[in-house]
Amino acid sequence: MYAKLVNYLDAINHYRKTKISNRNFLVLAALVVGVLAGLAAALLKSITHHIEDFLQDGFHWEYKYYLFIIFPFIGILLSVMYVRRFIRKGKFETGLTPLIYTISQKSSRVEPHNIYSQIITAALTVGFGGSTGLEAPIVTSGGGIGSAVGRFLGLSYRETTMLLACGAAAGIAGAFNSPIAGIVFAIEILLPEFTIPAFIPLLLASATAAVVARFFYNEQLFFLVTEGWQFNALIWYVLLAVLIGLFSIYFSKINYFVKTSFYKIKNPYTKVIVGGALLGIMVFLFPTLYGEGYITIKNLLGGNYSSVITNSIFASYSNMPAVIIGFTIITVFAKSAATLITLSAGGNGGTFAPSLIMGGLIGFVMAFTINTLGIAHVNVANFIVAGMAASLSAIMHAPLTGIFLIAEITGGYVLMVPLMITSAIAYLINRSKSKYSIYTQALGESGELMSHEDKDTLVLHMMKLKYLVEKDYVVLYEDELISERLPEILQSKRNLFPVIAQDKTFRGMISVEDVLKKAINNPASSGLSVKELMQTAPDVIYMRDPMKTVLKKMEKENAWLLPVIDEREEFVGFVSKTA
C-alpha cells in the first residue's frame, strides 16, 4: 500500500514538473495552503468562543462566577492530559520559537500532529480562561499545513519553507481578517530571506485564508471611530512609545523569571496545579484576564472606560477615575504574569494577543490620565490603538507587523503616522537592550537562529554535512606496507588516502604525489610503511560541526579537502570545499 502511494506521488510530481512551471505550481500550492489554513483559523476561533460563551452565558447559577477560579485550571489540565495521552512520538511545543527553530535547523519539517493538536489544546486553554492568545497556535497549525503540503509533494527545502510561511501568514490573515499583516508577519518573523517572487504565493495564501475564514466566522474584532490625529499630541505619542518600550524590557525579564521558576517543577501535573491555582485567583480578582481579553479593548474603544473594573469585586468603585487608572495599571502587570503562568503551566497559546492587550491598556491609562488631570485633551481610542501597535512591535521585534496589523483590524489607516512613530521608538528601545525578540532569544543565545543578518550564510544553514561527505576512498592502515597496497593506490581515481589505526580511529593522510616520489623505482621502498609516509591532517571535521564551522576550518587552513570523523574519532570520509 505504501509503495503504491509513493509511486502515485512520484507520478504526480513527474507530471507537474513536465507540464507546470515550478513557479506556477508553487502558486497553486499556496492557494491550497491558504484555504486549509483559513479553515483552521475559523475552526479554532469558533471552538474557543463557543466554549467561552457556554461557560460565561450558557448556564445560570447564583454563585457561578466563583467557578472562574477553577476554569483556567480545568483548561490547562485538559490540554496537558491530551498532549500526554495522544502526542507520544512527536514532542509538543508551544509558541513561535519552535516554528522558527524548525525553519533554521530542521529543514522546515513541522510535526504533522501540530495541524490539529495546536487547535485542540489552544481552544481548551483559552476557552476555559487561560490568559493567552490564539495567534501562535494558528500560526503553527498553518505552518504545519504548509510544511505537510510541501513534503507531500516532494518539494525542496526552499519551496517547503515558502509554503510553511504561506501557512503561517494565512493563519494570521484568517485569525485577524488582515491579509497584509499576515504577509508582513511571515517576512519579518519567519523568512530568513525575501525576494519579490516570494511575495506572490504569500499574497495569494493570505488573501485566500482571509476570505475563507470570514465566510465561516464573520465577527469584526475591533471598531474604531476616529477623526484622525492632532499635531500637538505627538509629544504624548512619543512618551507612550517610551513607556511601552521600557515595559517590553520588563516583560522579557519576567518571561525568563516565570519560565525558570516553572522549569524547576519536574512533575507536569504539579505545574498544572500551581499554575492553575495562581491563574484562577488572578482571573477572579481581575476578570479582564480571562481568555484573550479582546472584549476589554473593544469596550474601551467604544468609550466604556469603566469596563476594566465592572465585573470585578471592585465594581462599586467604577465611577472613580483614580480607581479605574490604578486598577488598569495593576491589570497590565497582572496580564503579563497571567500569560506567562498559563504557558509555563502547560497551557497552549502565545504572547501575540497579550502583547496587544497590554499595549492597549497602557495607551488607555496614559490618555485617560492626561484627560482626567486636564493636562491636555487627547483621543483615548487613538492612544489605545497606538499602544497596541507599539507593544507588538517591541515585544516581537516586528514593527511593520505591528503597524499594518493594527491599521487593518481597526481600520485606523488615518493614524499611520502615530502608529509608525510609537512602533519605531518602542522597538528601538527594546532592541537597544536585547538583540533578540521574546521568540528568538533562546535560539539566538544558543546559536540556533537563522535571521536576516545570516542571508550571506543561508546556503550553509540549508546544507547538511552528512549529505556532502565523500566515502569512496581507499583506506590504508598505518601498520601496512606501501608495497602491499600499491596496486590499489595506483588504480584509484583519488589523489589522497586516509590512514587509520586498527581500532578504526583516524591517524592522518597520504597523498599520491608522496607515493610516486618515495615508493616508485626506489629499491628501499619495499619496506616502507604507511605510517612512515603518513602526514598529519591540517584539521579535522566532526560530524556534529555545522556547515559554517566546516567552511571556517577550510578557510583557516586554506584547505580544499578535510577528513570527517565521528564522535569515536573513527574516519567517515572527506568533505571538499567544491562540494
Side-chain angles (χ1 to χ4, degrees):
M1 182 66 182
Y2 178 76
K4 289 183 178 180
L5 179 61
V6 172
N7 293 333
Y8 183 65
L9 291 177
D10 288 340
I12 293 177
N13 285 321
H14 177 73
Y15 175 82
R16 64 98 175 169
K17 288 177 181 179
T18 56
K19 301 296 182 179
I20 308 174
S21 70
N22 207 47
R23 180 176 298 180
N24 291 339
F25 181 76
L26 198 60
V27 168
L28 294 175
L31 286 171
V32 173
V33 170
V35 171
L36 296 177
L39 291 172
L43 180 63
L44 175 57
K45 292 172 68 176
S46 297
I47 295 175
T48 304
H49 293 163
H50 274 93
I51 295 175
E52 287 181 340
D53 292 342
F54 174 75
L55 295 179
Q56 294 180 2
D57 305 315
F59 66 96
H60 301 280
W61 180 45
E62 182 180 357
Y63 303 103
K64 178 180 74 172
Y65 288 100
Y66 286 99
L67 292 176
F68 280 63
I69 297 178
I70 65 171
F71 280 160
F73 165 77
I74 294 174
I76 296 174
L77 178 62
L78 291 175
S79 178
V80 171
M81 290 176 64
Y82 169 82
V83 171
R84 293 181 65 82
R85 175 65 179 83
F86 296 104
I87 311 299
R88 295 181 176 179
K89 295 181 179 179
K91 185 179 179 181
F92 185 79
E93 296 177 296
T94 62
L96 293 182
T97 302
L99 192 63
I100 298 172
Y101 176 80
T102 297
I103 295 174
S104 292
Q105 304 294 332
K106 296 175 65 177
S107 302
S108 296
R109 292 177 174 268
V110 181
E111 291 284 350
H113 70 75
N114 282 287
I115 297 174
Y116 55 88
S117 62
Q118 292 287 340
I119 294 175
I120 295 171
T121 54
L124 291 172
T125 300
V126 179
F128 276 86
S131 192
T132 184
L134 298 174
E135 291 74 28
I138 193 55
V139 165
T140 304
S141 178
I145 292 172
S147 175
V149 170
R151 291 158 62 186
F152 178 81
L153 296 173
L155 301 181
S156 66
Y157 163 79
R158 185 183 295 270
E159 294 162 338
T160 301
T161 302
M162 175 52 61
L163 289 184
L164 185 155
C166 286
I172 291 293
F176 286 110
N177 190 29
S178 52
I180 296 177
I183 297 170
V184 176
F185 167 83
I187 294 171
E188 274 195 305
I189 304 298
L190 299 179
L191 290 181
E193 65 170 355
F194 171 68
T195 58
I196 295 301
F199 184 80
I200 304 302
L202 286 172
L203 188 152
L204 290 174
S206 295
T208 303
V211 172
V212 171
R214 187 165 185 176
F215 179 80
F216 288 98
Y217 190 87
N218 186 17
E219 182 178 322
Q220 181 67 30
L221 190 59
F222 298 123
F223 297 92
L224 175 64
V225 179
T226 181
E227 296 178 355
W229 59 279
Q230 296 177 336
F231 183 81
N232 57 9
L234 280 179
I235 184 64
W236 301 112
Y237 285 115
V238 173
L239 180 58
L240 173 64
V242 173
L243 290 176
I244 290 179
L246 295 175
F247 178 81
S248 69
I249 296 174
Y250 156 80
F251 185 71
S252 298
K253 291 184 179 298
I254 193 177
N255 173 60
Y256 175 80
F257 172 76
V258 173
K259 285 186 175 180
T260 303
S261 299
F262 273 86
Y263 183 76
K264 296 176 182 177
I265 305 174
K266 301 304 180 182
N267 189 300
Y269 292 107
T270 303
K271 289 183 181 181
V272 173
I273 294 172
V274 174
L278 291 173
L279 189 60
I281 294 172
M282 295 174 73
V283 170
F284 180 74
L285 295 175
F286 306 95
T288 53
L289 301 182
Y290 189 98
E292 295 174 284
Y294 287 137
I295 186 66
T296 301
I297 298 298
K298 186 182 294 187
N299 290 332
L300 292 176
L301 288 175
N304 184 8
Y305 301 150
S306 63
S307 61
V308 178
I309 196 174
T310 299
N311 294 321
S312 72
I313 58 177
F314 307 101
S316 57
Y317 302 98
S318 61
N319 60 341
M320 300 175 62
V323 175
I324 293 176
I325 293 171
F327 191 84
T328 306
I329 292 174
I330 297 174
T331 301
V332 171
F333 288 93
K335 180 68 176 179
S336 63
T339 296
L340 299 174
I341 289 173
T342 302
L343 299 177
S344 300
N348 188 14
T351 56
F352 204 109
S355 299
L356 297 179
I357 304 304
M358 292 183 292
L361 291 178
I362 294 174
F364 163 72
V365 167
M366 182 173 177
F368 187 68
T369 302
I370 291 172
N371 290 343
T372 301
L373 296 178
I375 300 174
H377 182 74
V378 296
N379 188 311
V380 176
N382 288 2
F383 274 75
I384 294 173
V385 169
M388 293 167 69
S391 180
L392 188 67
S393 302
I395 291 175
M396 292 181 57
H397 281 202
L400 293 179
T401 300
I403 293 168
F404 285 104
L405 176 66
I406 301 306
E408 277 192 292
I409 64 179
T410 64
Y413 284 99
V414 69
L415 299 178
M416 265 299 180
V417 171
L419 293 180
M420 293 167 69
I421 291 174
T422 52
S423 296
I425 294 175
Y427 164 73
L428 289 173
I429 290 174
N430 187 287
R431 184 65 186 262
S432 68
K433 188 68 176 178
S434 175
K435 178 181 177 181
Y436 304 106
S437 72
I438 195 171
Y439 292 126
T440 60
Q441 185 173 0
L443 298 180
E445 291 175 352
S446 63
E448 296 173 323
L449 176 67
M450 180 169 58
S451 63
H452 290 278
E453 288 81 1
D454 298 318
K455 287 175 68 176
D456 56 333
T457 58
L458 175 63
V459 176
L460 294 180
H461 279 284
M462 293 166 58
M463 289 180 178
K464 301 298 180 184
L465 178 60
K466 62 182 179 180
Y467 299 126
L468 300 179
V469 177
E470 300 171 5
K471 301 180 180 180
D472 55 336
Y473 280 82
V474 174
V475 179
L476 307 177
Y477 287 88
E478 61 179 349
D479 55 357
E480 290 182 313
L481 297 177
I482 289 291
S483 58
E484 295 175 351
R485 304 298 300 275
L486 192 58
E488 293 179 73
I489 293 174
L490 296 178
Q491 293 175 11
S492 173
K493 297 179 181 179
R494 302 289 189 177
N495 62 356
L496 201 63
F497 306 94
V499 178
I500 63 174
Q502 289 298 329
D503 60 358
K504 309 296 183 182
T505 56
F506 178 75
R507 288 289 185 261
M509 306 180 299
I510 290 179
S511 67
V512 71
E513 289 83 0
D514 289 337
V515 173
L516 293 175
K517 287 179 182 179
K518 298 181 180 181
I520 302 295
N521 299 324
N522 184 354
S525 64
S526 59
L528 188 65
S529 70
V530 170
K531 187 174 183 179
E532 293 177 89
L533 206 57
M534 179 185 71
Q535 295 181 353
T536 302
D539 205 340
V540 295
I541 304 297
Y542 290 91
M543 285 298 295
R544 63 177 179 269
D545 286 345
M547 290 306 300
K548 196 172 182 179
T549 301
V550 174
L551 187 59
K552 281 184 177 180
K553 288 183 177 181
M554 288 183 168
E555 292 291 343
K556 180 181 178 181
E557 302 297 337
N558 193 26
W560 282 87
L561 197 70
L562 286 178
V564 180
I565 61 177
D566 59 21
E567 64 277 2
R568 298 188 299 271
E569 304 288 330
E570 294 182 4
F571 175 75
V572 178
F574 280 97
V575 63
S576 69
K577 186 183 291 187
T578 304

